[in-house]
């Protein structure tokens, strides 16, 4: 790559500048604080508060509310803006009103309206602040679809469609803020590339939010480090003794876990659970410091029960709790900061992640950095698992890099009608199964309204009465939150039936079931709990891991949880599941994940018609643009 003129930094120089700026900010923060640096601070893109904005959280919220009232913005947006922008949010928005676009849910037109109300004629359509905000917004929207990078050409086209007068200038403005990085993607080689007269394709410029671009690089470096520093955890004789009597696939899985730094283990949920507990118990029996990390505390309790008397020496926890979230990190608004990381790694030799496919790139980076040199990391996943809720696809990228061993467990006979149905869906076939004990019930619905009605009947009456499974052990799931039969519509109907009330606590009432829709220090993504009370200090919630008080600014990260999107439900199985299948957003991994959540009973409310079978047959997970596979092999 050739250097560009001095006045225009190259993409590599910009990336280095952004990384150095983040390192300097991190060093400055640590100089002011003797505590070990919580992992994740360096990747948080939130700006530092301007001078004179040293307010308490309540004062910050009051200042935002006053600003929004002044400009005609709904005051209900203030808590979300306070959480997303952090201390000094009102001052930040007065200096740059288009920063409002960084608040989840805000659209460009709304930010433009706010800017005009604040700046009047000074809010020009070609304002560089507007251009930079639009670029970051476009990339953030792409990240919500799972992408960590986006071709610069696509961003330019989107800016042209939005009629921004200087699209390239908008990208330059975003790059100057150091919250967007320009990354060069080298073209892949094929046989034609080596022909004498072949023209080498030009490298493609891609753009990525610094938060996830740097997290992807940190994840790659951490995984490489674990591979390079690994040594066998036990000698050959001890490994041989542990392998005696095991089937070949379980023997290979145990060997990979004990002898290689990073390995991947794939299998059905039941097979994985048996293999994970077996590996953990065997390693701990030989003095290997071992932890099993589940997606939620509820799922961790299930795994701990599976270990039974073999749990001695094994830590079983949610990954969130294992990483020790920092409960008071005002310098990292909008993000969960963990105490475990590069400066304070785990005191462990072997870490087994029960649902590695749920790791987004940022959590993968945090996990890799928290594993000390020489530790072994095992990432488990179902075959064809749905991608994570956040950006990236670390486990699939790692497998695609061909740098780590991948062990596939032999699938045992399906465990009854539920196992048979889920196995068929994973194979691309939606077939009827014989369920004499009503393990699987299909309930047709002609419309979204009927689907919601049927689901409420199943959760509140049919399943408790016919199968003896109480409503609190039934989880409704849907492909997405929105839509006429989505999780939000289901929750409204279920609340009216199970716990009617005015929503006096920020839309919640005591007795409401809630789900963590964005990570909180108190509980991981997808964890459910029950509201027990609340007031100006926040919502009081009983989570499986214990009671917690969620501050008002964080309450926007909670949703009603009688029904949840499949992406939030994954990894935590329930005695009974009501899967409401509407036509939008269906894919084979999503349907297999939804059906696989049920332990004893599955009711499928079929509102998708032929689209359900077609999705199972034809639709894999949507592709994601990521860099981790290439970074790992560099």
């Amino acid at each position: 790559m050739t250097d560009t003129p001095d006045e225009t930094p190259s993409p590599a120089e910009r990336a280095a500048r952004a990384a150095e700026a983040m390192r300097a900010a991190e060093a400055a923060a640590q100089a002011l604080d003797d505590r070990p640096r919580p992992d994740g601070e360096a990747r948080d893109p939130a700006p530092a508060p301007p001078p004179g904005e040293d307010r308490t959280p309540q004062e910050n919220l009051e200042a935002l509310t006053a600003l929004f009232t002044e400009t005609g913005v709904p005051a209900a947006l203030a808590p979300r803006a306070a959480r997303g922008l952090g201390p000094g949010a009102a001052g930040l928005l007065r200096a740059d009103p288009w920063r409002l676009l960084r608040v989840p849910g805000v659209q460009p037109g709304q930010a433009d309206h706010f800017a005009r109300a604040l700046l009047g004629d000074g809010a020009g359509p070609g304002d560089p602040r507007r251009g930079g905000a639009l670029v970051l917004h476009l990339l953030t929207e792409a990240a919500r679809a799972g992408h960590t990078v986006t071709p610069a050409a696509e961003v330019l086209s989107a800016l042209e469609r939005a009629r921004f007068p200087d699209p390239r200038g908008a990208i330059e403005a975003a790059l100057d803020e150091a919250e967007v990085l320009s990354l060069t993607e080298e073209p892949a080689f094929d046989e034609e590339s080596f022909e004498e007269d072949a023209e080498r394709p030009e490298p493609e410029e891609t753009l990525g939010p610094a938060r996830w671009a740097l997290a992807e690089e940190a994840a790659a470096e951490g995984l490489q480090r674990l591979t390079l520093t690994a040594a066998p955890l036990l000698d050959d004789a001890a490994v041989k003794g542990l392998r005696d009597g095991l089937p070949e696939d379980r023997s290979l899985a145990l060997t990979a876990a004990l002898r290689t730094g990073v390995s991947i283990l794939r299998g059905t949920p039941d097979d994985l659970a048996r293999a994970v507990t077996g590996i953990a118990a065997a390693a701990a029996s030989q003095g290997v410091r071992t932890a099993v990390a589940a997606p939620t505390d509820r799922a961790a309790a299930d795994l701990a029960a599976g270990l039974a008397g073999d749990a001695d020496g094994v830590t079983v926890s949610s990954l969130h709790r294992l990483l020790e979230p920092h409960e008071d990190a005002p310098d990292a608004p909008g993000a969960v900061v963990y105490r475990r990381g590069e400066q304070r790694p785990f005191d462990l030799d072997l870490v087994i992640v029960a649902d590695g496919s749920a790791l987004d790139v940022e959590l993968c980076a945090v996990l890799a950095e928290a594993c000390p040199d020489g530790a072994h990391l095992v990432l488990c996943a179902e075959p064809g698992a749905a991608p994570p809720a956040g950006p990236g696809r670390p486990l699939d990228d790692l497998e695609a890099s061909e740098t780590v061993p991948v062990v596939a467990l032999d699938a045992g006979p399906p465990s009854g009608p539920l196992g048979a149905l889920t196995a068929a869906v994973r194979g691309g076939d939606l077939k009827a199964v014989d369920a004499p004990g009503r393990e699987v019930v299909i309930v047709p619905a002609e419309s979204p309204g009927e689907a919601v009605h049927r689901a409420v009947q199943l959760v509140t009456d049919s399943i408790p009465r016919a199968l003896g499974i109480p409503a609190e052990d039934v989880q409704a799931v849907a492909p997405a939150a929105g839509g006429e039969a989505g999780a939000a519509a289901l929750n409204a109907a279920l609340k009216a039936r199970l716990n009617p009330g005015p929503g006096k606590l920020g839309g919640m009432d005591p007795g409401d079931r809630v789900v963590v829709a964005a990570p909180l220090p108190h509980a991981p993504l997808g964890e459910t709990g029950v509201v027990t009370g609340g007031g100006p200090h926040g919502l009081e919630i009983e989570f499986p891991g214990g009671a917690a008080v969620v501050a008002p600014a964080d309450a926007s990260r909670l949703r009603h949880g009688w029904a949840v999107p499949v992406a939030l439900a994954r990894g935590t199985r329930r005695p009974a599941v009501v899967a409401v299948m509407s036509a939008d957003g269906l894919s084979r991994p999503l349907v297999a994940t939804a059906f696989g959540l049920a332990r004893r009973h599955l009711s499928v409310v079929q509102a998708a018609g032929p689209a359900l079978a077609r999705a199972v047959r034809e639709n894999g997970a949507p592709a994601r643009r990521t860099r981790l596979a290439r970074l790992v092999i560099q």
Side-chain angles (χ1 to χ4, degrees), residues 495 499-510 512 539 560:
K495 175 172 173 55
N499 195 47
K504 62 181 180 181
L505 302 173
M508 305 289 181
D509 292 296
D512 280 358
L539 277 176
H560 281 113

Side-chain angles (χ1 to χ4, degrees), residues 154-377:
E154 288 189 16
V155 176
L156 288 169
S157 296
L159 290 168
E160 289 169 358
R161 290 193 299 274
R163 298 183 180 179
F164 189 81
D166 182 13
R168 176 50 69 175
I171 289 178
E172 293 298 321
L175 294 174
D176 286 342
E177 286 290 317
E179 292 179 356
V180 171
L181 299 184
S182 176
L183 307 155
T184 301
E185 302 290 343
E186 293 293 336
F189 283 100
D190 54 27
E191 291 184 6
E192 294 181 358
S193 301
F194 292 92
E195 293 181 3
E196 186 174 344
D197 57 348
E199 291 187 11
R200 184 179 178 185
E202 290 294 322
E204 181 184 39
E205 181 189 8
T206 61
L207 302 171
R211 174 176 181 172
W212 292 296
L214 295 178
E216 209 156 25
E217 293 176 4
E221 291 172 3
L223 294 168
Q224 287 174 326
R225 173 179 57 81
L226 293 177
T227 297
L228 293 172
T229 61
L233 296 176
L234 296 173
D235 60 34
D236 290 346
V239 173
K240 184 177 184 301
L242 293 174
R243 290 174 51 173
D244 283 347
L246 290 178
E248 183 178 6
D249 59 336
R250 296 276 294 276
S251 175
L252 289 172
L254 178 63
T255 302
L258 295 175
R259 288 184 174 169
T260 59
V262 182
S263 59
I264 293 173
L265 181 60
R266 288 196 180 271
T268 66
D270 288 338
D271 291 331
L272 280 175
R274 286 190 289 269
V276 164
T277 54
I279 292 170
S285 72
Q286 300 297 307
V288 176
R289 297 172 301 172
T290 303
V292 177
T296 62
D297 291 323
R298 189 181 299 274
D302 290 340
L303 280 171
L307 275 164
D310 297 323
D312 289 346
V314 180
T315 298
V316 184
S317 162
S318 66
L319 177 58
H320 185 78
R321 200 166 299 282
L322 190 68
L323 289 165
E324 298 180 13
H326 197 293
E327 293 193 6
D328 183 19
D331 50 343
V336 172
V337 177
Y338 295 99
R339 297 178 186 274
R340 292 290 182 177
E342 185 179 1
Q343 303 299 320
R344 187 168 174 260
F346 296 136
D347 298 315
L348 295 168
D349 305 310
L350 175 62
V351 179
I352 306 172
V353 180
D355 186 7
S357 58
L359 295 174
D360 65 19
V361 68
E362 197 163 44
L363 190 54
C364 181
V366 173
L367 170 63
E369 289 182 346
C371 291
D373 289 355
H376 290 206
L377 176 63

Side-chain angles (χ1 to χ4, degrees), residues 371-544:
C371 291
D373 289 355
H376 290 206
L377 176 63
V378 181
L379 301 175
C380 304
E382 300 173 28
R393 49 170 197 173
L395 187 140
D396 289 340
D397 280 347
L398 186 60
E399 182 171 353
S401 74
E402 299 182 347
T403 59
V404 302
V406 180
V407 178
L409 296 173
D410 296 334
S415 54
L418 276 169
L421 176 61
T422 307
V425 170
R426 288 196 195 97
D429 183 21
L430 184 66
K431 66 178 186 180
V433 295
D434 184 25
R438 290 182 287 188
E439 295 89 348
V440 178
V441 173
I442 309 299
V443 182
E446 296 295 327
S447 67
E450 184 183 355
V452 172
H453 176 70
R454 297 294 183 201
V456 171
Q457 279 186 323
L458 288 162
V459 172
T460 63
D461 178 50
S462 301
I463 293 174
R465 175 171 45 81
L467 300 175
I469 301 174
E472 55 266 31
D473 287 336
V474 182
Q475 181 66 66
V477 298
E484 294 179 273
L490 289 164
N491 275 315
L494 285 163
K495 175 172 173 55
R497 184 73 171 270
L498 289 170
N499 195 47
K504 62 181 180 181
L505 302 173
M508 305 289 181
D509 292 296
D512 280 358
R513 186 194 293 183
V514 294
V515 64
V516 179
L520 288 167
H522 324 77
L525 188 74
E527 192 77 85
T528 57
V530 176
V531 177
T532 57
H537 61 291
L539 277 176
E540 298 167 10
I541 300 174
E542 187 66 37
F543 286 115

Side-chain angles (χ1 to χ4, degrees), residues 96 98-99 101-102 125-140 155 159 164 166-180 207 209:
D96 179 359
W98 285 285
R99 283 184 182 267
L101 265 179
R102 303 172 191 226
D127 192 306
R129 294 171 295 180
R130 179 174 184 260
L134 284 172
V135 171
L136 183 58
H137 174 72
L138 289 167
L139 296 175
T140 302
V155 176
L159 290 168
F164 189 81
D166 182 13
R168 176 50 69 175
I171 289 178
E172 293 298 321
L175 294 174
D176 286 342
E177 286 290 317
E179 292 179 356
V180 171
L207 302 171

